[in-house]
Each structure stands twice: as C-alpha cells, then as structure tokens.
Amino acid sequence: MSLTTIDAKSMQKAFISGANNISNNKEYINELNVFPVPDGDTGTNMSLTIMTAASEVEALQEPTIDLIAKAISGGSLRGARGNSGVILSQLFRGFCKDVKGKKSLGVEDLASGFARGVETAYKAVMKPKEGTILTVARGMSQKAADIIDVENDIILFLEQVIEHGEAVLAKTPDMLPVLKEAGVVDSGGQGLIEVMKGLLLGLKDEPVALLDAQPQKLARGAGVLEDIPKAKGSGKEDISTADIKFGYCTEFIILLEKELTDKQVEGIKEYLLSIGDSLVCVADEELVKIHVHTNHPGRAFEKGLEYGQLTRCKVDNMREEHSERVIMESEKQKAAEQEEAFKQLKAEKSAPKDKYGFIAISTGDGLTELFKEIGASYVVSGGQTMNPSTQDILDAADKVNAENVFILPNNSNIILAANQASAISKDKKIFVVPSKTIPQGIAALLSFNEAIEPEKNLEGMTAAMKDVKSGEITYAVRDTSIDGKEIHKDDIMGLADSGLASVGTDVDAVLDELVESLVDEDSGLISLYYGEDISEDKAGEVQARLSEKYEDLEVEIRSGGQPIYYYLLSVE
C-alpha cells in the first residue's frame, strides 16, 4: 500500500498499535537487561509508560492531531517509569510539540518531529550515554532526515527508518562493553524498535492487538501489573455487560486555579451528565470532587483540566465485574473512600504548610518504618521490582503539606522519573536527591539540616551519600557474564556501587565476600537490612559472625522486609 499523509484517525490507530506491540513483547525486552536481577525493568517500564498514554489516546472520540499529541505527551509524561520510560516519554514529548497545529503529517513532518524528539530526550538526560535507546533514536532520526528528499511514501519511509534503527541497535554492544559481555543489545533501543514496528503495522492497516489473555490493572504506586481477581459473592455470575449503559466508573479531584462560580459548577455537571450518569460533583473554594459513570473517561478528565490540576484520578471498567452485588457494594465503598479522601485533602490544603517535607521510595515494612523514623513524611512503595511513575511521585508530593519537598529515589532507575516530577510540579518546589541505593537515601536524610536553605541542603545531602558504600545480595534469573564473572540462573550475586562484586551458590559466602570488598581501614560501621526471606534468627547469626570477624567495627542489623533482596547493606 502507498501512504503520503497521516490523518488524525490513522495516527490514533498507529499509536495504539505501537503501544500494544511493546506491551506484547515486554518480557522479551526484559530478558535483554544486562544484570539478571529479578525485576520488571526496561520492557515493563516502557510498556507501562506508553500504555498510560495509549489509554488517553484511545478515549478520544473525535481526534485531531493536536488532541492526540496532547494525550500522548501528557499521558506518557505522567506515566513514565524508570529511565527507559522517562526517555521514551521525552521522545514523544518533543515529537508532539513539533507536530502541534498540523492537520495531517507527511514524511517531512515525521522527520522534523523525530529530530525534535531526539533533541528533547538528550536534554533530559544529565550525562547521555551512547549505545542506548538515545543512540537508536538518533540513528533513526538521522536516517529520516537523509531520505525525506527521495521518499515521500510514509510506509516505505518508515520501513527504511526502522531498518536503519535495527542496524544501529545491532551495533550497541560495540559501544557499551557491558552489553557485549552479556551478549545482548540495548533493551531500551529494542523497546523503541518494537514501538516503531507496531506504529508501522497500524499505518499498514494491520494494527497489533493486545495479546494479554487475562484482564490486568496497574497497581497504584507499585509499578507492576496485577491480575484482576474474580468477583466473589452470591451475585449473578453471568450478568450481561450490555445492561451497563456507561462502562467506566471515573473519579478524580480538581485542584482549582481559582474558586468556581455556581454557574461554572452547574456547567461541569451538565457536561458530565451529557456523557454519563451516576454523577457526584461536590465543590468548595479550592477543590471539586467528581464521580461519574461514562463511556468516555478522557472527556471527563479534559473537562476537569479546564479548571485546574487533577489528582486522585481513577478509572474502573465496570463491565469486567462479574456480579451485580459486587458492583453495588464496590460503588458504595468507593464513594465512601473518595468522600473521605476529599475531606482529608481539603484539610491538608487548609492546614499551614511546613517549610520542608520528605518522600522516600522503598519497599518492605521495615524500611518504610525506618524512613518514617528518621523524618520521611511519606514513603512511596517501589524500588528495583516496582518503579513508581512520574504521576505516582507527583501524587505523593501532593500529599506532603510542605513548601519544599525532597525526593529520595533510592534507585538509579527512578531518578529520571523524580526529576520529571520536579520539572512539572506547579504548586510546590521539589528537590531530587540522587540517591541510588537505600543506604544512600538513609545517609542523605540523616544529614538534613533544617537551619540552612533548601539548595544548600541538597548539596549537603548529596555529599553525605559519598561517605556510604552500598551492597545488595540477590539471585540471578538467567545465565550471563558480567565483569568477567560467569553467572548461572539461581546463582547468588553480591552487587556493590561499582557493579558485581561477588557471585556463588551460597548466600552467606557471597555476603562475606561482598562485605570484605567494602570494608577498609577507615570503616567503622556495617549496617545490614535483612529481607522477607531471611528469619530473625538467621540474621542474628550473620550479625554475630560479622562482629567476630570485624571486631573493631560496629555491626548493626535490622529487618527491612524487602522482597527479592536477601540483604541490603552499607559500610561507612
């Protein structure tokens, strides 16, 4: 087939196809991660990022290029998870800015959009590294620029661009030795190729369908997909979904830019009733709480955005419920929960703001308790296995009633999402402390000095992290080779700040080797946080053994409760 322009409908279908394609291939992309740790990582993060945008694009009933661009840019920005997801969102953001105002797109528009997307993404990364998704994106952009004068058929144009992108991707192991040693190409670059292939199939009128057999939902603040449980109870199991006129229970709160008039509130109600029913609309001077059943959640959100920022956004597909009784009880429960949330948010907004607030990202009951003990205002559930999105971080910041909020990502794959949240936050100033590990986050928070200004505190907290050496003990999910060490599936790995420090088949032996690599003549304290798979008795044995071996050092041990990692540790 031949195609010289892309209209709004075609763009909508193509983007959804691209999103579906990477979602279908996310596990394959995850397998390309260099470190074989048991995490969701690149494929999952990129998939969740783009699917957030795809849901908004799909909700557009009368799409235009501008509306689609706005949905892609905003959705991916808020849904961005992990470094790969943030970079992908920035590629989209630049492209969408470039095509704004156009009625249709040709090859010149695509090439220009690609170039701006690459420029935007490179600017978003503090120290861009070649051999990554950025390199693949730039290669495709350069190819697009090279052929716009000789190829005006969009299908042939994109086929050549993707083919060149695959060639660049194949060379990424030559740019990053760690990729070559592991025998893989860059996972982020592969993810971008999958998006582009899906887009192309959509334009060929062969759109990719989502293959997930089980309905899934995104766990808020967790960064992982959970299966939707089957409804329980005595309700009618074979209820016809045709009986549900409006299928999506849509809830959100508008943080008003200014107080609404009675006429404006009535206008909101009239509009929402024109696209749905079961409306609850409660307004005061600062907030508006919305609950509505509709077939077009995106339209409801767009209406709310006319008056301010949105928070506590939630959409449930009621047609996926299997019981009338469950639906009714769920609706009552959700209404009560949202009413309580509304009251709480209103109280928080009216309370005097603190000067400082702190958000830590971690997983495990013990670590959550520890961060709260040392001053964290709020702890976002997340970490290596669960990268929170930009929106999750913004939601957390919204709950902290402070003028200046410090974010402790405690994971290198969350820092970019935190930076993105800082950049788009409007009602408070967010400072991102670039902590890459839990011990670094603890050290940074303990070093905070309320007597000095936020900028100086950021410098001091960042400097404090350099006095801590971090370590992690986990297991391998596949065979690979890193730093000259052969790793086999289920091997135990000891990871230090500099990379793989030890590997073996016994947790204790690997832990001992890791600690030995971190301790030096200046060391005075070893702190261990044991995970959910380690008993208290076992942890006590480890503490006694290390205390005997390092008699001049203090050895502290505490339950972290974290999954996946047998131990997290620090030496300082």
Side-chain angles (χ1 to χ4, degrees):
M1 71 177 283
S2 177
L3 184 70
T4 56
T5 58
I6 301 173
D7 61 16
K9 281 287 187 182
S10 297
M11 182 179 178
Q12 182 183 43
K13 180 170 65 175
F15 184 78
I16 294 169
S17 177
N20 289 345
N21 198 50
I22 190 172
S23 183
N24 292 344
N25 289 283
K26 62 180 177 289
E27 292 305 328
Y28 163 64
I29 297 167
N30 284 341
E31 286 295 313
L32 297 175
N33 291 316
V34 172
F35 276 95
V37 293
D39 58 13
D41 220 11
T42 306
T44 301
N45 285 334
M46 294 182 75
S47 172
L48 293 176
T49 297
I50 195 172
M51 291 305 287
T52 303
S55 65
E56 296 191 20
V57 171
E58 192 170 20
L60 297 172
Q61 297 300 305
E62 298 178 3
T64 63
I65 299 292
D66 277 3
L67 286 175
I68 294 171
K70 183 178 181 180
I72 292 173
S73 181
S76 62
L77 192 71
R78 294 188 300 273
R81 296 169 186 268
N83 294 344
S84 53
V86 172
I87 292 171
L88 183 64
S89 74
Q90 291 298 312
L91 289 169
F92 288 148
R93 183 181 177 210
F95 178 89
C96 291
K97 279 186 175 181
D98 201 70
V99 301
K100 186 178 180 180
K102 299 182 184 297
K103 303 300 181 184
S104 63
L105 306 178
V107 294
E108 290 187 358
D109 301 311
L110 294 178
S112 178
F114 291 165
R116 188 161 181 182
V118 169
E119 179 186 0
T120 303
Y122 265 89
K123 287 180 179 178
V125 180
M126 189 71 68
K127 295 180 180 179
K129 185 180 293 185
E130 297 305 329
T132 66
I133 180 176
L134 291 170
T135 307
V136 177
R138 189 179 63 190
M140 287 194 285
S141 175
Q142 289 172 341
K143 182 64 175 179
D146 290 342
I147 62 174
I148 54 174
D149 292 333
V150 296
E151 186 58 75
N152 68 349
D153 185 310
I154 291 174
I155 301 299
L156 297 177
F157 172 81
L158 288 178
E159 285 177 344
Q160 294 177 65
V161 168
I162 294 171
E163 182 181 5
H164 185 74
E166 290 181 304
V168 174
L169 177 65
K171 296 177 181 177
T172 54
D174 296 325
M175 304 177 203
L176 282 177
V178 67
L179 294 176
K180 177 169 283 189
E181 186 177 12
V184 295
V185 296
D186 177 67
S187 54
Q190 183 69 61
L192 182 59
I193 292 294
E194 297 304 329
V195 173
M196 293 296 294
K197 285 182 174 179
L199 289 168
L200 178 59
L201 288 170
L203 293 174
K204 287 183 174 180
D205 207 22
E206 302 170 13
V208 177
L210 201 60
L211 297 181
D212 289 345
Q214 294 295 322
Q216 295 178 315
K217 67 179 180 180
L218 183 63
R220 291 291 297 163
V224 294
L225 288 171
E226 298 177 334
D227 289 337
I228 295 178
K230 292 183 178 179
K232 297 179 181 179
S234 58
K236 186 178 177 183
E237 292 297 323
D238 59 348
I239 178 175
S240 170
T241 58
D243 295 334
I244 303 174
K245 183 178 179 182
F246 297 104
Y248 296 96
C249 175
T250 304
E251 303 171 356
F252 57 96
I253 291 176
I254 308 171
L255 305 177
L256 296 174
E257 294 176 351
K258 60 181 180 180
E259 184 179 355
L260 300 183
T261 65
D262 291 342
K263 185 176 180 180
Q264 286 175 313
V265 174
E266 287 305 311
I268 293 174
K269 292 179 180 179
E270 289 177 8
Y271 177 78
L272 294 177
L273 286 174
S274 73
I275 62 169
D277 63 9
S278 299
L279 175 65
V280 176
C281 178
V282 181
D284 70 0
E285 298 86 354
E286 298 179 328
L287 308 168
V288 179
K289 182 193 73 173
I290 300 293
H291 169 282
V292 65
H293 292 177
T294 178
N295 288 327
H296 309 294
R299 294 187 187 182
F301 291 145
E302 287 291 336
K303 189 64 177 178
L305 286 169
E306 293 179 13
Y307 301 99
Q309 298 181 61
L310 304 188
T311 187
R312 311 289 170 91
C313 300
K314 186 177 181 183
V315 178
D316 287 328
N317 186 344
M318 296 188 294
R319 294 189 177 96
E320 290 180 348
E321 300 283 359
H322 296 281
S323 162
E324 283 182 337
R325 179 178 177 182
V326 170
I327 292 173
M328 292 172 62
E329 291 178 355
S330 176
E331 284 300 295
K332 290 178 182 178
Q333 179 66 22
K334 284 188 286 188
E337 288 176 354
Q338 192 181 34
E339 184 67 34
E340 182 61 32
F342 179 73
K343 291 178 181 177
Q344 181 181 347
L345 187 59
K346 181 180 176 182
E348 291 170 355
K349 289 289 182 181
S350 60
K353 284 188 177 182
D354 295 329
K355 185 174 182 179
Y356 297 113
F358 307 90
I359 295 173
I361 298 170
S362 75
T363 183
D365 292 341
L367 294 175
T368 296
E369 182 181 344
L370 173 60
F371 272 112
K372 288 183 177 179
E373 285 177 7
I374 62 176
S377 316
Y378 192 85
V379 178
V380 176
S381 176
Q384 190 67 31
T385 60
M386 303 175 291
N387 294 157
S389 69
T390 296
Q391 187 63 55
D392 291 331
I393 296 170
L394 284 171
D395 288 345
D398 188 57
K399 294 173 184 176
V400 176
N401 192 36
E403 298 173 4
N404 303 284
V405 178
F406 287 83
I407 308 289
L408 300 159
N410 302 328
N411 186 293
S412 60
N413 208 31
I414 301 175
I415 293 174
L416 279 183
N419 287 337
Q420 192 152 273
S422 174
I424 62 179
S425 176
K426 294 181 179 178
D427 63 338
K428 58 188 64 177
K429 199 165 185 179
I430 294 179
F431 297 86
V432 179
V433 182
S435 54
K436 297 181 179 180
T437 66
I438 293 292
Q440 286 184 359
I442 293 170
L445 188 50
L446 287 172
S447 71
F448 177 79
N449 183 352
E450 192 169 357
I452 62 178
E453 291 305 301
E455 291 78 9
K456 286 293 183 182
N457 258 308
L458 180 61
E459 292 177 10
M461 295 169 81
T462 303
M465 299 188 305
K466 298 177 182 178
D467 296 329
V468 176
K469 300 176 183 178
S470 304
E472 302 165 337
I473 303 292
T474 187
Y475 59 91
V477 295
R478 66 175 183 277
D479 295 349
T480 189
S481 174
I482 298 174
D483 296 337
K485 296 182 176 69
E486 289 295 323
I487 300 172
H488 302 287
K489 186 177 182 294
D490 297 325
D491 275 355
I492 307 302
M493 299 184 298
L495 307 174
D497 294 325
S498 57
L500 183 66
S502 57
V503 63
T505 57
D506 180 73
V507 173
D508 285 348
V510 172
L511 174 62
D512 288 347
E513 187 176 346
L514 175 61
V515 172
E516 188 172 342
S517 72
L518 298 178
V519 170
D520 59 28
E521 59 184 14
D522 296 322
S523 301
L525 172 66
I526 300 173
S527 300
L528 285 96
Y529 309 93
Y530 59 93
E532 61 182 8
D533 294 325
I534 301 294
S535 68
E536 184 177 356
D537 289 343
K538 178 62 179 175
E541 293 174 8
V542 170
Q543 181 181 25
R545 186 176 75 247
L546 292 176
S547 296
E548 182 178 355
K549 182 176 181 179
Y550 301 100
E551 56 184 19
D552 294 333
L553 276 66
E554 184 178 355
V555 179
E556 294 182 349
I557 197 156
R558 176 169 179 152
S559 172
Q562 70 273 6
I564 306 301
Y565 289 86
Y566 300 111
Y567 296 98
L568 301 176
L569 63 113
S570 66
V571 176
E572 50 189 303

